[in-house]
Amino acid sequence: MSRPQEPHRPFFSFGNPFRMISPKGSQLSPRLLSVLNSFEETLAERLRKLNPNDKDEVLSLTWMKYAMESLCETHEDIKTLITDLELPITDWDEKWIDVYLDISVKLLDICIAFSSELSRLNQGHLLLQCVLHNLESKSSNQLIRARSSLDSWRQHIHSKNQRVQNCHSILNGLVESLNLPKVKNSAKGKVLMRAMYGVKVQTVFVCSVFAAAFSGSAKNLLHLDVAETFLWAQAYSNLQANVNVEVREILSGGKFSVLKEVDGVEIIVNKLYPVIEDGLQPVEVQEFEKTVSDLRGGAEKLSEGLDIVAKQVDGFFKIVLSGRDALLCNLRASGVDSMLGCNVGEQIVR
């Protein structure tokens, strides 16, 4: 699954986006500065908590659950910030609306891809249950059936998900959206764009790690250079460096799966398979029963972990969808949609 790594190249091909959001010509009021600083400090703390203490945490389903949970919290925070800014929808620049709607469609698409992969992986649990059922009897016929189910599980886990393969182009589109629209004569607009940038950077990071894990390809792992002017910049740089280095190492290691819990089940399967293939000898019964017990525990841990991450992805999907729906409703109510270059009401989730 791993591929030779190309030399690192930064993803920012456009200039310095931060000059577009600096409050040049209009100083932020103490209230606006407080709102912005609170948002950025919270994001910085959230990113620090996501930084793994142990490299073995990376690409575990537990860490992925926390990563998606953290992303959901940040997207909820931007909703709160918009409310605190008291910026009416009629004051939103058309470019902001276009960018938001475009990003939301991409995020919904990528959530659908992640959900389909988590569901596909969890379907393998049924095959492992068949293995365990057949191993309850130590007859030769049942062992043959168990071996067949193990073969089917391996083939299933190794198969490719086309939706996940398409994530690369979606991620590239998200990176392009980091190029912020210019903000003129609006202190609140500058605060909004600066905060939105932080949301988008965390979103690109989490989604790229998920896409790399599910596809087994480092091409989906993105690197973003963030200016030090943001209060969360150092926390993000540390997180990105630690996680990306470990993910690249895992991807280049030639493991059966880069997901820790899937690889853990495969290690147990590798111990069990020769015993099933060669036939169970009397002296091996105790070790065999321990391995079967390990497989049962590993299978349950994997299935539970996949379910938890799937719920977090579904929660993120609902947050993005509800925010998009709220914006479209406000646009229709205010008549802003008629001023846009395209009919936002006709945008759909692919």
Side-chain angles (χ1 to χ4, degrees), residues 216-252:
S217 172
K219 75 176 184 179
N220 289 318
L221 196 64
L222 306 183
H223 177 93
L224 301 176
D225 292 321
V226 176
E228 295 178 358
T229 54
F230 296 92
L231 299 181
W232 47 268
Q234 190 59 54
Y236 175 77
S237 296
N238 292 341
L239 171 64
Q240 178 178 243
N242 290 339
V243 172
N244 281 13
V245 166
E246 183 58 26
V247 171
R248 290 186 185 280
E249 184 176 334
I250 293 171
L251 290 171
S252 64

PDB file of all heavy atoms in Angstrom, residues 216-252:
ATOM      1  N   GLY A 216      -4.433   4.328   2.597  1.00  0.00           N
ATOM      2  CA  GLY A 216      -3.104   3.743   2.679  1.00  0.00           C
ATOM      3  C   GLY A 216      -2.095   4.463   1.803  1.00  0.00           C
ATOM      4  O   GLY A 216      -1.051   3.908   1.464  1.00  0.00           O
ATOM      5  N   SER A 217      -2.393   5.712   1.463  1.00  0.00           N
ATOM      6  CA  SER A 217      -1.539   6.470   0.545  1.00  0.00           C
ATOM      7  C   SER A 217      -1.108   7.794   1.166  1.00  0.00           C
ATOM      8  O   SER A 217      -1.949   8.566   1.636  1.00  0.00           O
ATOM      9  CB  SER A 217      -2.268   6.734  -0.767  1.00  0.00           C
ATOM     10  OG  SER A 217      -1.525   7.606  -1.590  1.00  0.00           O
ATOM     11  N   ALA A 218       0.200   8.078   1.114  1.00  0.00           N
ATOM     12  CA  ALA A 218       0.726   9.321   1.665  1.00  0.00           C
ATOM     13  C   ALA A 218       0.386  10.527   0.798  1.00  0.00           C
ATOM     14  O   ALA A 218       0.553  11.664   1.242  1.00  0.00           O
ATOM     15  CB  ALA A 218       2.241   9.219   1.823  1.00  0.00           C
ATOM     16  N   LYS A 219      -0.109  10.307  -0.414  1.00  0.00           N
ATOM     17  CA  LYS A 219      -0.432  11.448  -1.280  1.00  0.00           C
ATOM     18  C   LYS A 219      -1.577  12.274  -0.695  1.00  0.00           C
ATOM     19  O   LYS A 219      -1.743  13.446  -1.036  1.00  0.00           O
ATOM     20  CB  LYS A 219      -0.795  10.982  -2.692  1.00  0.00           C
ATOM     21  CG  LYS A 219      -2.168  10.357  -2.830  1.00  0.00           C
ATOM     22  CD  LYS A 219      -2.495  10.022  -4.276  1.00  0.00           C
ATOM     23  CE  LYS A 219      -3.921   9.484  -4.427  1.00  0.00           C
ATOM     24  NZ  LYS A 219      -4.259   9.178  -5.831  1.00  0.00           N
ATOM     25  N   ASN A 220      -2.375  11.659   0.181  1.00  0.00           N
ATOM     26  CA  ASN A 220      -3.486  12.382   0.811  1.00  0.00           C
ATOM     27  C   ASN A 220      -3.067  13.136   2.070  1.00  0.00           C
ATOM     28  O   ASN A 220      -3.869  13.849   2.662  1.00  0.00           O
ATOM     29  CB  ASN A 220      -4.609  11.404   1.173  1.00  0.00           C
ATOM     30  CG  ASN A 220      -5.341  10.892  -0.044  1.00  0.00           C
ATOM     31  OD1 ASN A 220      -5.633  11.649  -0.964  1.00  0.00           O
ATOM     32  ND2 ASN A 220      -5.636   9.602  -0.071  1.00  0.00           N
ATOM     33  N   LEU A 221      -1.806  12.972   2.475  1.00  0.00           N
ATOM     34  CA  LEU A 221      -1.323  13.626   3.686  1.00  0.00           C
ATOM     35  C   LEU A 221      -0.762  14.994   3.323  1.00  0.00           C
ATOM     36  O   LEU A 221       0.261  15.101   2.653  1.00  0.00           O
ATOM     37  CB  LEU A 221      -0.249  12.755   4.348  1.00  0.00           C
ATOM     38  CG  LEU A 221       0.101  13.091   5.794  1.00  0.00           C
ATOM     39  CD1 LEU A 221      -1.101  12.856   6.700  1.00  0.00           C
ATOM     40  CD2 LEU A 221       1.279  12.234   6.251  1.00  0.00           C
ATOM     41  N   LEU A 222      -1.422  16.053   3.768  1.00  0.00           N
ATOM     42  CA  LEU A 222      -1.056  17.403   3.364  1.00  0.00           C
ATOM     43  C   LEU A 222      -0.210  18.105   4.425  1.00  0.00           C
ATOM     44  O   LEU A 222      -0.281  17.783   5.608  1.00  0.00           O
ATOM     45  CB  LEU A 222      -2.320  18.231   3.101  1.00  0.00           C
ATOM     46  CG  LEU A 222      -3.325  17.627   2.113  1.00  0.00           C
ATOM     47  CD1 LEU A 222      -4.483  18.591   1.896  1.00  0.00           C
ATOM     48  CD2 LEU A 222      -2.653  17.289   0.791  1.00  0.00           C
ATOM     49  N   HIS A 223       0.573  19.065   3.958  1.00  0.00           N
ATOM     50  CA  HIS A 223       1.372  19.895   4.860  1.00  0.00           C
ATOM     51  C   HIS A 223       1.036  21.355   4.590  1.00  0.00           C
ATOM     52  O   HIS A 223       1.095  21.813   3.451  1.00  0.00           O
ATOM     53  CB  HIS A 223       2.870  19.657   4.633  1.00  0.00           C
ATOM     54  CG  HIS A 223       3.733  20.530   5.489  1.00  0.00           C
ATOM     55  ND1 HIS A 223       4.211  20.122   6.712  1.00  0.00           N
ATOM     56  CD2 HIS A 223       4.191  21.799   5.309  1.00  0.00           C
ATOM     57  CE1 HIS A 223       4.920  21.098   7.249  1.00  0.00           C
ATOM     58  NE2 HIS A 223       4.924  22.132   6.415  1.00  0.00           N
ATOM     59  N   LEU A 224       0.674  22.086   5.642  1.00  0.00           N
ATOM     60  CA  LEU A 224       0.330  23.501   5.510  1.00  0.00           C
ATOM     61  C   LEU A 224       1.269  24.341   6.364  1.00  0.00           C
ATOM     62  O   LEU A 224       1.483  24.028   7.543  1.00  0.00           O
ATOM     63  CB  LEU A 224      -1.117  23.748   5.956  1.00  0.00           C
ATOM     64  CG  LEU A 224      -2.218  22.983   5.217  1.00  0.00           C
ATOM     65  CD1 LEU A 224      -3.570  23.285   5.847  1.00  0.00           C
ATOM     66  CD2 LEU A 224      -2.228  23.342   3.741  1.00  0.00           C
ATOM     67  N   ASP A 225       1.833  25.377   5.787  1.00  0.00           N
ATOM     68  CA  ASP A 225       2.659  26.328   6.538  1.00  0.00           C
ATOM     69  C   ASP A 225       1.762  27.448   7.047  1.00  0.00           C
ATOM     70  O   ASP A 225       1.082  28.118   6.262  1.00  0.00           O
ATOM     71  CB  ASP A 225       3.758  26.902   5.646  1.00  0.00           C
ATOM     72  CG  ASP A 225       4.798  25.851   5.271  1.00  0.00           C
ATOM     73  OD1 ASP A 225       5.118  25.040   6.156  1.00  0.00           O
ATOM     74  OD2 ASP A 225       5.252  25.836   4.120  1.00  0.00           O
ATOM     75  N   VAL A 226       1.766  27.646   8.351  1.00  0.00           N
ATOM     76  CA  VAL A 226       0.899  28.642   8.986  1.00  0.00           C
ATOM     77  C   VAL A 226       1.748  29.767   9.557  1.00  0.00           C
ATOM     78  O   VAL A 226       2.744  29.517  10.243  1.00  0.00           O
ATOM     79  CB  VAL A 226       0.058  27.989  10.105  1.00  0.00           C
ATOM     80  CG1 VAL A 226      -0.768  29.024  10.839  1.00  0.00           C
ATOM     81  CG2 VAL A 226      -0.853  26.910   9.508  1.00  0.00           C
ATOM     82  N   ALA A 227       1.361  31.013   9.290  1.00  0.00           N
ATOM     83  CA  ALA A 227       2.096  32.176   9.794  1.00  0.00           C
ATOM     84  C   ALA A 227       2.005  32.250  11.313  1.00  0.00           C
ATOM     85  O   ALA A 227       1.013  31.858  11.924  1.00  0.00           O
ATOM     86  CB  ALA A 227       1.547  33.456   9.173  1.00  0.00           C
ATOM     87  N   GLU A 228       3.059  32.779  11.938  1.00  0.00           N
ATOM     88  CA  GLU A 228       3.130  32.845  13.397  1.00  0.00           C
ATOM     89  C   GLU A 228       2.207  33.908  13.985  1.00  0.00           C
ATOM     90  O   GLU A 228       2.127  34.037  15.210  1.00  0.00           O
ATOM     91  CB  GLU A 228       4.572  33.109  13.829  1.00  0.00           C
ATOM     92  CG  GLU A 228       5.525  31.973  13.469  1.00  0.00           C
ATOM     93  CD  GLU A 228       6.954  32.274  13.875  1.00  0.00           C
ATOM     94  OE1 GLU A 228       7.189  33.390  14.411  1.00  0.00           O
ATOM     95  OE2 GLU A 228       7.828  31.417  13.650  1.00  0.00           O
ATOM     96  N   THR A 229       1.516  34.660  13.144  1.00  0.00           N
ATOM     97  CA  THR A 229       0.620  35.716  13.638  1.00  0.00           C
ATOM     98  C   THR A 229      -0.617  35.160  14.334  1.00  0.00           C
ATOM     99  O   THR A 229      -1.323  35.894  15.015  1.00  0.00           O
ATOM    100  CB  THR A 229       0.174  36.626  12.473  1.00  0.00           C
ATOM    101  OG1 THR A 229      -0.386  35.808  11.443  1.00  0.00           O
ATOM    102  CG2 THR A 229       1.344  37.412  11.911  1.00  0.00           C
ATOM    103  N   PHE A 230      -0.894  33.875  14.157  1.00  0.00           N
ATOM    104  CA  PHE A 230      -2.061  33.248  14.788  1.00  0.00           C
ATOM    105  C   PHE A 230      -1.675  32.683  16.146  1.00  0.00           C
ATOM    106  O   PHE A 230      -0.602  32.085  16.301  1.00  0.00           O
ATOM    107  CB  PHE A 230      -2.621  32.138  13.903  1.00  0.00           C
ATOM    108  CG  PHE A 230      -3.163  32.625  12.595  1.00  0.00           C
ATOM    109  CD1 PHE A 230      -2.363  32.675  11.469  1.00  0.00           C
ATOM    110  CD2 PHE A 230      -4.484  33.044  12.488  1.00  0.00           C
ATOM    111  CE1 PHE A 230      -2.859  33.135  10.260  1.00  0.00           C
ATOM    112  CE2 PHE A 230      -4.992  33.507  11.286  1.00  0.00           C
ATOM    113  CZ  PHE A 230      -4.177  33.554  10.171  1.00  0.00           C
ATOM    114  N   LEU A 231      -2.561  32.830  17.122  1.00  0.00           N
ATOM    115  CA  LEU A 231      -2.276  32.346  18.470  1.00  0.00           C
ATOM    116  C   LEU A 231      -2.183  30.822  18.524  1.00  0.00           C
ATOM    117  O   LEU A 231      -1.604  30.268  19.455  1.00  0.00           O
ATOM    118  CB  LEU A 231      -3.365  32.826  19.442  1.00  0.00           C
ATOM    119  CG  LEU A 231      -3.527  34.347  19.597  1.00  0.00           C
ATOM    120  CD1 LEU A 231      -4.627  34.668  20.601  1.00  0.00           C
ATOM    121  CD2 LEU A 231      -2.217  34.985  20.016  1.00  0.00           C
ATOM    122  N   TRP A 232      -2.763  30.157  17.527  1.00  0.00           N
ATOM    123  CA  TRP A 232      -2.760  28.690  17.502  1.00  0.00           C
ATOM    124  C   TRP A 232      -1.688  28.122  16.566  1.00  0.00           C
ATOM    125  O   TRP A 232      -1.593  26.900  16.402  1.00  0.00           O
ATOM    126  CB  TRP A 232      -4.130  28.168  17.053  1.00  0.00           C
ATOM    127  CG  TRP A 232      -4.670  28.854  15.826  1.00  0.00           C
ATOM    128  CD1 TRP A 232      -5.486  29.940  15.799  1.00  0.00           C
ATOM    129  CD2 TRP A 232      -4.405  28.522  14.455  1.00  0.00           C
ATOM    130  NE1 TRP A 232      -5.767  30.306  14.496  1.00  0.00           N
ATOM    131  CE2 TRP A 232      -5.116  29.442  13.656  1.00  0.00           C
ATOM    132  CE3 TRP A 232      -3.662  27.532  13.827  1.00  0.00           C
ATOM    133  CZ2 TRP A 232      -5.085  29.409  12.262  1.00  0.00           C
ATOM    134  CZ3 TRP A 232      -3.621  27.489  12.443  1.00  0.00           C
ATOM    135  CH2 TRP A 232      -4.328  28.424  11.683  1.00  0.00           C
ATOM    136  N   ALA A 233      -0.868  28.992  15.961  1.00  0.00           N
ATOM    137  CA  ALA A 233       0.072  28.552  14.927  1.00  0.00           C
ATOM    138  C   ALA A 233       1.088  27.531  15.438  1.00  0.00           C
ATOM    139  O   ALA A 233       1.327  26.501  14.802  1.00  0.00           O
ATOM    140  CB  ALA A 233       0.797  29.762  14.334  1.00  0.00           C
ATOM    141  N   GLN A 234       1.705  27.803  16.596  1.00  0.00           N
ATOM    142  CA  GLN A 234       2.727  26.892  17.117  1.00  0.00           C
ATOM    143  C   GLN A 234       2.129  25.538  17.495  1.00  0.00           C
ATOM    144  O   GLN A 234       2.710  24.486  17.223  1.00  0.00           O
ATOM    145  CB  GLN A 234       3.415  27.512  18.332  1.00  0.00           C
ATOM    146  CG  GLN A 234       4.652  26.735  18.801  1.00  0.00           C
ATOM    147  CD  GLN A 234       5.715  26.623  17.720  1.00  0.00           C
ATOM    148  OE1 GLN A 234       6.139  27.628  17.159  1.00  0.00           O
ATOM    149  NE2 GLN A 234       6.134  25.409  17.411  1.00  0.00           N
ATOM    150  N   ALA A 235       0.948  25.572  18.116  1.00  0.00           N
ATOM    151  CA  ALA A 235       0.282  24.313  18.487  1.00  0.00           C
ATOM    152  C   ALA A 235      -0.026  23.490  17.245  1.00  0.00           C
ATOM    153  O   ALA A 235       0.144  22.259  17.242  1.00  0.00           O
ATOM    154  CB  ALA A 235      -0.998  24.598  19.264  1.00  0.00           C
ATOM    155  N   TYR A 236      -0.468  24.170  16.178  1.00  0.00           N
ATOM    156  CA  TYR A 236      -0.772  23.450  14.942  1.00  0.00           C
ATOM    157  C   TYR A 236       0.493  22.880  14.309  1.00  0.00           C
ATOM    158  O   TYR A 236       0.508  21.713  13.876  1.00  0.00           O
ATOM    159  CB  TYR A 236      -1.471  24.363  13.934  1.00  0.00           C
ATOM    160  CG  TYR A 236      -1.692  23.664  12.613  1.00  0.00           C
ATOM    161  CD1 TYR A 236      -2.720  22.737  12.464  1.00  0.00           C
ATOM    162  CD2 TYR A 236      -0.836  23.881  11.538  1.00  0.00           C
ATOM    163  CE1 TYR A 236      -2.901  22.050  11.280  1.00  0.00           C
ATOM    164  CE2 TYR A 236      -1.013  23.202  10.343  1.00  0.00           C
ATOM    165  CZ  TYR A 236      -2.041  22.288  10.218  1.00  0.00           C
ATOM    166  OH  TYR A 236      -2.200  21.606   9.036  1.00  0.00           O
ATOM    167  N   SER A 237       1.556  23.672  14.246  1.00  0.00           N
ATOM    168  CA  SER A 237       2.800  23.213  13.628  1.00  0.00           C
ATOM    169  C   SER A 237       3.351  21.985  14.347  1.00  0.00           C
ATOM    170  O   SER A 237       3.824  21.033  13.705  1.00  0.00           O
ATOM    171  CB  SER A 237       3.834  24.339  13.625  1.00  0.00           C
ATOM    172  OG  SER A 237       3.399  25.420  12.826  1.00  0.00           O
ATOM    173  N   ASN A 238       3.297  21.989  15.684  1.00  0.00           N
ATOM    174  CA  ASN A 238       3.776  20.839  16.462  1.00  0.00           C
ATOM    175  C   ASN A 238       2.925  19.604  16.189  1.00  0.00           C
ATOM    176  O   ASN A 238       3.448  18.495  16.011  1.00  0.00           O
ATOM    177  CB  ASN A 238       3.748  21.159  17.956  1.00  0.00           C
ATOM    178  CG  ASN A 238       4.766  22.221  18.346  1.00  0.00           C
ATOM    179  OD1 ASN A 238       5.723  22.473  17.612  1.00  0.00           O
ATOM    180  ND2 ASN A 238       4.560  22.859  19.483  1.00  0.00           N
ATOM    181  N   LEU A 239       1.606  19.797  16.177  1.00  0.00           N
ATOM    182  CA  LEU A 239       0.691  18.687  15.918  1.00  0.00           C
ATOM    183  C   LEU A 239       0.924  18.101  14.532  1.00  0.00           C
ATOM    184  O   LEU A 239       1.055  16.877  14.373  1.00  0.00           O
ATOM    185  CB  LEU A 239      -0.755  19.171  16.045  1.00  0.00           C
ATOM    186  CG  LEU A 239      -1.861  18.206  15.606  1.00  0.00           C
ATOM    187  CD1 LEU A 239      -1.869  16.958  16.482  1.00  0.00           C
ATOM    188  CD2 LEU A 239      -3.227  18.898  15.629  1.00  0.00           C
ATOM    189  N   GLN A 240       0.972  18.957  13.532  1.00  0.00           N
ATOM    190  CA  GLN A 240       1.155  18.503  12.154  1.00  0.00           C
ATOM    191  C   GLN A 240       2.476  17.760  11.986  1.00  0.00           C
ATOM    192  O   GLN A 240       2.519  16.691  11.370  1.00  0.00           O
ATOM    193  CB  GLN A 240       1.111  19.709  11.210  1.00  0.00           C
ATOM    194  CG  GLN A 240       1.345  19.345   9.750  1.00  0.00           C
ATOM    195  CD  GLN A 240       1.232  20.561   8.844  1.00  0.00           C
ATOM    196  OE1 GLN A 240       0.365  20.622   7.990  1.00  0.00           O
ATOM    197  NE2 GLN A 240       2.095  21.532   9.034  1.00  0.00           N
ATOM    198  N   ALA A 241       3.545  18.300  12.571  1.00  0.00           N
ATOM    199  CA  ALA A 241       4.858  17.672  12.438  1.00  0.00           C
ATOM    200  C   ALA A 241       4.867  16.284  13.077  1.00  0.00           C
ATOM    201  O   ALA A 241       5.325  15.310  12.457  1.00  0.00           O
ATOM    202  CB  ALA A 241       5.927  18.558  13.075  1.00  0.00           C
ATOM    203  N   ASN A 242       4.344  16.184  14.295  1.00  0.00           N
ATOM    204  CA  ASN A 242       4.376  14.905  15.006  1.00  0.00           C
ATOM    205  C   ASN A 242       3.506  13.852  14.322  1.00  0.00           C
ATOM    206  O   ASN A 242       3.936  12.701  14.138  1.00  0.00           O
ATOM    207  CB  ASN A 242       3.904  15.097  16.450  1.00  0.00           C
ATOM    208  CG  ASN A 242       4.904  15.866  17.288  1.00  0.00           C
ATOM    209  OD1 ASN A 242       6.083  15.941  16.951  1.00  0.00           O
ATOM    210  ND2 ASN A 242       4.448  16.449  18.376  1.00  0.00           N
ATOM    211  N   VAL A 243       2.307  14.230  13.953  1.00  0.00           N
ATOM    212  CA  VAL A 243       1.385  13.263  13.365  1.00  0.00           C
ATOM    213  C   VAL A 243       1.820  12.872  11.957  1.00  0.00           C
ATOM    214  O   VAL A 243       1.840  11.684  11.608  1.00  0.00           O
ATOM    215  CB  VAL A 243      -0.057  13.820  13.352  1.00  0.00           C
ATOM    216  CG1 VAL A 243      -0.982  12.894  12.558  1.00  0.00           C
ATOM    217  CG2 VAL A 243      -0.572  13.973  14.776  1.00  0.00           C
ATOM    218  N   ASN A 244       2.177  13.850  11.132  1.00  0.00           N
ATOM    219  CA  ASN A 244       2.547  13.537   9.749  1.00  0.00           C
ATOM    220  C   ASN A 244       3.780  12.647   9.659  1.00  0.00           C
ATOM    221  O   ASN A 244       3.840  11.740   8.822  1.00  0.00           O
ATOM    222  CB  ASN A 244       2.769  14.830   8.965  1.00  0.00           C
ATOM    223  CG  ASN A 244       1.474  15.479   8.526  1.00  0.00           C
ATOM    224  OD1 ASN A 244       0.402  15.104   8.997  1.00  0.00           O
ATOM    225  ND2 ASN A 244       1.550  16.457   7.650  1.00  0.00           N
ATOM    226  N   VAL A 245       4.771  12.915  10.524  1.00  0.00           N
ATOM    227  CA  VAL A 245       5.977  12.068  10.521  1.00  0.00           C
ATOM    228  C   VAL A 245       5.612  10.631  10.856  1.00  0.00           C
ATOM    229  O   VAL A 245       6.063   9.682  10.196  1.00  0.00           O
ATOM    230  CB  VAL A 245       7.016  12.609  11.529  1.00  0.00           C
ATOM    231  CG1 VAL A 245       8.101  11.563  11.789  1.00  0.00           C
ATOM    232  CG2 VAL A 245       7.662  13.885  10.998  1.00  0.00           C
ATOM    233  N   GLU A 246       4.790  10.444  11.879  1.00  0.00           N
ATOM    234  CA  GLU A 246       4.413   9.093  12.286  1.00  0.00           C
ATOM    235  C   GLU A 246       3.554   8.402  11.234  1.00  0.00           C
ATOM    236  O   GLU A 246       3.727   7.210  10.959  1.00  0.00           O
ATOM    237  CB  GLU A 246       3.669   9.135  13.628  1.00  0.00           C
ATOM    238  CG  GLU A 246       3.287   7.772  14.184  1.00  0.00           C
ATOM    239  CD  GLU A 246       4.476   6.852  14.381  1.00  0.00           C
ATOM    240  OE1 GLU A 246       5.600   7.358  14.569  1.00  0.00           O
ATOM    241  OE2 GLU A 246       4.276   5.615  14.347  1.00  0.00           O
ATOM    242  N   VAL A 247       2.616   9.142  10.625  1.00  0.00           N
ATOM    243  CA  VAL A 247       1.760   8.553   9.596  1.00  0.00           C
ATOM    244  C   VAL A 247       2.598   8.105   8.400  1.00  0.00           C
ATOM    245  O   VAL A 247       2.403   7.004   7.856  1.00  0.00           O
ATOM    246  CB  VAL A 247       0.666   9.546   9.143  1.00  0.00           C
ATOM    247  CG1 VAL A 247      -0.078   8.999   7.926  1.00  0.00           C
ATOM    248  CG2 VAL A 247      -0.319   9.795  10.273  1.00  0.00           C
ATOM    249  N   ARG A 248       3.558   8.936   7.984  1.00  0.00           N
ATOM    250  CA  ARG A 248       4.415   8.554   6.852  1.00  0.00           C
ATOM    251  C   ARG A 248       5.237   7.309   7.186  1.00  0.00           C
ATOM    252  O   ARG A 248       5.437   6.434   6.342  1.00  0.00           O
ATOM    253  CB  ARG A 248       5.336   9.711   6.475  1.00  0.00           C
ATOM    254  CG  ARG A 248       4.604  10.875   5.827  1.00  0.00           C
ATOM    255  CD  ARG A 248       5.561  11.942   5.330  1.00  0.00           C
ATOM    256  NE  ARG A 248       4.834  13.095   4.833  1.00  0.00           N
ATOM    257  CZ  ARG A 248       4.273  13.172   3.636  1.00  0.00           C
ATOM    258  NH1 ARG A 248       4.392  12.154   2.794  1.00  0.00           N
ATOM    259  NH2 ARG A 248       3.617  14.258   3.257  1.00  0.00           N
ATOM    260  N   GLU A 249       5.694   7.223   8.429  1.00  0.00           N
ATOM    261  CA  GLU A 249       6.466   6.046   8.842  1.00  0.00           C
ATOM    262  C   GLU A 249       5.592   4.795   8.822  1.00  0.00           C
ATOM    263  O   GLU A 249       6.018   3.723   8.378  1.00  0.00           O
ATOM    264  CB  GLU A 249       7.036   6.273  10.244  1.00  0.00           C
ATOM    265  CG  GLU A 249       7.933   5.132  10.717  1.00  0.00           C
ATOM    266  CD  GLU A 249       8.564   5.432  12.064  1.00  0.00           C
ATOM    267  OE1 GLU A 249       8.736   6.619  12.398  1.00  0.00           O
ATOM    268  OE2 GLU A 249       8.880   4.459  12.798  1.00  0.00           O
ATOM    269  N   ILE A 250       4.361   4.924   9.305  1.00  0.00           N
ATOM    270  CA  ILE A 250       3.432   3.787   9.300  1.00  0.00           C
ATOM    271  C   ILE A 250       3.129   3.353   7.868  1.00  0.00           C
ATOM    272  O   ILE A 250       3.131   2.165   7.547  1.00  0.00           O
ATOM    273  CB  ILE A 250       2.130   4.160  10.031  1.00  0.00           C
ATOM    274  CG1 ILE A 250       2.395   4.374  11.528  1.00  0.00           C
ATOM    275  CG2 ILE A 250       1.077   3.062   9.852  1.00  0.00           C
ATOM    276  CD1 ILE A 250       1.216   4.946  12.294  1.00  0.00           C
ATOM    277  N   LEU A 251       2.873   4.338   6.991  1.00  0.00           N
ATOM    278  CA  LEU A 251       2.535   4.031   5.600  1.00  0.00           C
ATOM    279  C   LEU A 251       3.684   3.354   4.865  1.00  0.00           C
ATOM    280  O   LEU A 251       3.459   2.568   3.943  1.00  0.00           O
ATOM    281  CB  LEU A 251       2.125   5.309   4.869  1.00  0.00           C
ATOM    282  CG  LEU A 251       0.782   5.930   5.280  1.00  0.00           C
ATOM    283  CD1 LEU A 251       0.608   7.295   4.636  1.00  0.00           C
ATOM    284  CD2 LEU A 251      -0.374   5.017   4.884  1.00  0.00           C
ATOM    285  N   SER A 252       4.912   3.666   5.258  1.00  0.00           N
ATOM    286  CA  SER A 252       6.071   3.079   4.581  1.00  0.00           C
ATOM    287  C   SER A 252       6.500   1.753   5.208  1.00  0.00           C
ATOM    288  O   SER A 252       7.443   1.116   4.734  1.00  0.00           O
ATOM    289  CB  SER A 252       7.248   4.058   4.616  1.00  0.00           C
ATOM    290  OG  SER A 252       7.659   4.294   5.954  1.00  0.00           O
TER     291      SER A 252
END
